[in-house]
Amino acid sequence: METGVPKDSNPDGPKHRRRPGARKLQILQTLAAMLEDPRAEKVTTAALAARLEVSEAALYRHFASKAQMYEGLIEFIETTVFRLINDIASQETSGREQVRKMIRMLLDFSQTNRGMTRVLIGDALVNENERLQERMNQLFDRVEASLKQALRVAVSQAELPADCDTAARASLGVAYVVGRWHRFSKSGFRRLPGEALEEHLAMLVA
């Protein structure tokens, strides 16, 4: 399952060989990499420009603001996560397995993209434009709706009791995932989000 940030094969090649959007991708890759440093509290455009060995003005030729850079990361998260959720929903017939696979995918995504985890939990968005956190909240709502639908399928298949509160179960699933993301980030990316996952899934989707 491919969940990582795509790598540009030749971001620093001659200009006539640079693919359209290659520099923007390089900026986003570098920003994501800087967020992987557990000691980094806030990534500034000055630090980002220094890492790329360009001027801050060069950054703003590709992005109107730092908020727009973070929007680029959020767009990658949204595109990847919901493509994978849709794949799971279309390929897996069991509702219970859909739930299990969606939760596993969300934790795998975090482990593969450590810098993105700080975006997911909002750490990287502190003091940034409030619309960024609102967009992340919408992502959580969409994930919760996807889990709720899978749980409804599980109930219809008698994999879960008929009186199962699918809304509460979906909310619990999101809370579990976000909690694991938080622990992963706050541990300096040492406590992997998938620790004891099978045991936890047995309780979440019992």
Side-chain angles (χ1 to χ4, degrees), residues 86-155:
N86 290 337
D87 287 347
I88 291 168
S90 63
Q91 296 170 12
E92 176 58 62
T93 57
S94 164
R96 175 183 281 173
E97 283 305 306
Q98 285 181 20
V99 175
R100 293 171 61 90
K101 288 183 177 180
M102 287 177 190
I103 290 175
R104 187 178 295 112
M105 176 274 293
L106 291 166
L107 299 182
D108 286 345
F109 178 87
S110 171
Q111 186 168 328
T112 304
N113 301 279
R114 296 187 304 177
M116 300 292 185
T117 302
R118 295 187 60 206
V119 177
L120 286 163
I121 66 174
D123 274 8
L125 307 179
V126 174
N127 298 323
E128 300 296 341
N129 192 299
E130 64 181 16
R131 75 172 182 273
L132 298 174
Q133 188 56 61
E134 290 173 0
R135 189 164 173 181
M136 290 309 308
N137 292 340
Q138 291 170 2
L139 181 144
F140 296 146
D141 289 343
R142 290 176 63 192
V143 168
E144 187 170 329
S146 297
L147 288 173
K148 185 176 179 181
Q149 177 57 34
L151 288 162
R152 286 173 172 168
V153 172
V155 170

Side-chain angles (χ1 to χ4, degrees), residues 16-199:
H16 68 276
R17 294 172 57 189
R18 188 186 297 279
R19 293 197 303 272
R23 176 61 79 182
K24 290 184 70 171
L25 177 60
Q26 185 189 22
I27 292 170
L28 293 178
Q29 288 171 344
T30 304
L31 174 57
M34 292 177 73
L35 289 171
E36 290 186 10
D37 184 351
R39 299 165 299 177
E41 295 183 1
K42 184 176 178 66
V43 176
T44 64
T45 52
L48 178 59
R51 178 73 68 91
L52 287 161
E53 299 183 339
V54 300
S55 67
E56 288 186 73
L59 297 180
Y60 291 120
R61 283 199 291 270
H62 299 280
F63 294 95
S65 63
K66 189 166 67 163
Q68 197 175 83
M69 297 177 200
Y70 279 113
E71 283 183 319
L73 295 183
I74 294 172
E75 183 176 347
F76 167 77
I77 293 171
E78 291 173 337
T79 300
T80 304
V81 164
F82 292 109
R83 173 177 58 81
L84 294 171
I85 282 178
N86 290 337
D87 287 347
I88 291 168
S90 63
Q91 296 170 12
E92 176 58 62
T93 57
S94 164
R96 175 183 281 173
E97 283 305 306
Q98 285 181 20
V99 175
R100 293 171 61 90
K101 288 183 177 180
M102 287 177 190
I103 290 175
R104 187 178 295 112
M105 176 274 293
L106 291 166
L107 299 182
D108 286 345
F109 178 87
S110 171
Q111 186 168 328
T112 304
N113 301 279
R114 296 187 304 177
M116 300 292 185
T117 302
R118 295 187 60 206
V119 177
L120 286 163
I121 66 174
D123 274 8
L125 307 179
V126 174
N127 298 323
E128 300 296 341
N129 192 299
E130 64 181 16
R131 75 172 182 273
L132 298 174
Q133 188 56 61
E134 290 173 0
R135 189 164 173 181
M136 290 309 308
N137 292 340
Q138 291 170 2
L139 181 144
F140 296 146
D141 289 343
R142 290 176 63 192
V143 168
E144 187 170 329
S146 297
L147 288 173
K148 185 176 179 181
Q149 177 57 34
L151 288 162
R152 286 173 172 168
V153 172
V155 170
S156 72
Q157 295 170 334
E159 294 179 327
L160 292 174
D163 61 353
C164 173
D165 188 334
T166 56
R169 202 71 82 92
S171 178
L172 179 61
V174 171
Y176 169 75
V177 168
V178 174
R180 301 296 281 191
W181 287 340
H182 268 277
R183 192 178 72 158
F184 183 42
S185 178
K186 299 305 182 183
S187 70
F189 304 115
R190 291 187 297 273
R191 298 294 300 273
L192 299 183
E195 285 181 6
L197 176 58
E198 293 307 314
E199 291 83 351

